[in-house]
Amino acid sequence: MSFDTLDEVRALLADIPGPDADAIAGAAARNGQLTKPPGALGRLEELAQWYAGWRGDVRPEIRAPQVIIFAGNHGVAARGVSAFPPEVTVQMVANFEQGGAAINQLAKAFGARMDVVPLNLNRPTADFTEGPAMREDEVVAALRSGWDAVDAATDLLVVGEMGIGNTTSAAAIAARLFGGDAGDWTGRGTGVEGDALALKTEVVGDALAAHGAATDGLDVLMRLGGRELAGMAGAMLRARVLRIPVIMDGFICTAAAACLEHTVKGALDHVVAGHQSDEAAHGAMLEALDKAPLLSLGLRLGEGSGAALAIGVLKGAIACHSGMATFAEAGVSDG
């Protein structure tokens, strides 16, 4: 199963599977029998039942998490929207591959396989203030790279990104999908402020002015996105088809995910927000998507770092749900 056009992606989205209702009911019943007061584990109980539904297993385990980092370069970076030059994308990909980045340490700490997918780093997307960032064949190729990067044997997916200029892309996507002005969604990204932040906001405004009404979220992704955003979207779509739960990362990842949700409502039902980043508009985007973050630690690194940390939260939820004794097993009175 794959796709060659955006219409074929739309058809896949229109026919995506839902969770296993029997597994959800069975997990809820098991949760009610565990040796704890009702609701005492708070949101961990909800997470465990959500995960059980997508895996079709009343008593699941997390054994094979996968972290995938997509990297791409943006033509709009030439407008001076980042504190770092585009060459940093290539340099950071090398760092990922050598195991030296923060995400490498976090993936290792939580027992996750990590893959890096660089996407045409020597050929940036077009400047989306002058026209679409990508042609249809380009965005489809990036979506397919994400689709192909997901290991069918994984049981929990985290996607992250690296790409100088991509907070500008994410801000433009958010403004187009959720409404509002460029200033409502444009933040510091790599640390720009003052005149540099004003320039970045102006560039996002120019991008919005250059593009009229979009057909749907995939059209927005093609016009205002980047290859790494499309890669993340393609991976999240593949995960949905395979019923693999996904932990969403920060501002840029959420913008990519929102393109799926704004194409078919409910496309993110298999996705939980790993954290709320320090990028100012991330909280507003999560609220618009009705995704309550698991963590809020002031992170703004990207790389899938906040989502990778949240693997520990989900592992804890599943360990309690599947490993705890029931009242009957423990010989404890249930009241």
Side-chain angles (χ1 to χ4, degrees):
M1 183 187 298
S2 189
F3 45 84
D4 296 302
T5 67
L6 284 181
D7 279 343
E8 290 178 359
V9 178
R10 292 181 178 104
L12 273 172
L13 277 166
D15 195 35
I16 49 178
D20 185 321
D22 290 339
I24 293 173
R30 174 173 172 75
N31 181 62
Q33 299 164 7
L34 297 177
T35 47
K36 58 176 180 59
L41 284 174
R43 196 173 169 197
L44 294 184
E45 300 179 19
E46 171 195 331
L47 286 168
Q49 293 166 61
W50 166 81
Y51 184 87
W54 286 106
R55 297 309 291 162
D57 187 346
V58 170
R59 199 171 178 175
E61 296 181 41
I62 297 176
R63 296 180 174 176
Q66 182 183 14
V67 174
I68 312 173
I69 307 302
F70 297 93
N73 272 323
H74 294 254
V76 76
R79 296 281 304 270
V81 296
S82 174
F84 294 93
E87 292 77 16
V88 169
T89 304
V90 175
Q91 294 162 1
M92 281 302 300
V93 165
N95 194 30
F96 296 142
E97 292 173 341
Q98 292 163 13
I103 186 58
N104 297 95
Q105 318 321 315
L106 294 169
K108 186 186 303 182
F110 294 106
R113 161 186 168 175
M114 182 174 147
D115 297 289
V116 184
V117 182
L119 297 168
N120 299 97
L121 298 185
N122 61 340
R123 189 165 57 88
T125 55
D127 181 346
F128 54 56
T129 65
E130 299 175 352
M134 293 172 280
R135 302 186 308 268
E136 180 172 353
D137 63 305
E138 291 177 312
V139 72
V140 167
L143 284 160
R144 197 162 52 234
S145 292
W147 175 280
D148 292 340
V150 177
D151 185 345
T154 195
D155 52 19
L156 179 62
L157 180 67
V158 165
V159 290
E161 43 61 40
M162 176 63 212
I164 296 302
N166 61 13
T167 55
T168 304
S169 173
I173 287 172
R176 178 58 78 224
L177 293 180
F178 300 109
D181 298 326
D184 297 331
W185 299 100
T186 308
R188 296 177 62 239
T190 51
V192 298
E193 53 191 350
D195 290 345
L197 179 56
L199 171 64
K200 182 178 178 181
T201 305
E202 179 183 340
V203 168
V204 172
D206 290 345
L208 298 174
H211 299 276
T215 305
D216 57 18
L218 291 176
D219 188 39
V220 171
L221 181 64
M222 179 179 69
R223 292 171 179 270
L224 299 173
R227 292 187 182 91
E228 77 278 37
L229 279 86
M232 289 189 289
M236 287 185 272
L237 173 57
R238 179 77 187 287
R240 177 59 174 265
V241 170
L242 296 173
R243 290 191 173 94
I244 299 170
V246 174
I247 303 179
M248 187 167 65
D249 195 44
F251 184 64
I252 299 151
C253 181
T254 305
C259 292
L260 300 177
E261 183 69 17
H262 278 250
T263 301
V264 171
K265 187 172 177 57
L268 301 183
D269 287 353
H270 67 309
V271 176
V272 66
H275 76 125
Q276 180 175 327
S277 78
D278 199 41
E279 189 70 5
H282 189 213
M285 202 189 309
L286 290 176
E287 186 175 350
L289 291 171
D290 194 25
K291 296 290 183 184
L294 299 182
L295 302 169
S296 182
L297 299 171
L299 305 179
R300 56 181 181 90
L301 177 63
E303 302 180 4
S305 53
L309 272 172
I311 292 174
V313 176
L314 195 54
K315 278 192 166 187
I318 299 306
C320 289
H321 174 83
S322 297
M324 284 177 68
T326 65
F327 285 104
E329 290 167 345
V332 175
S333 172
D334 63 0

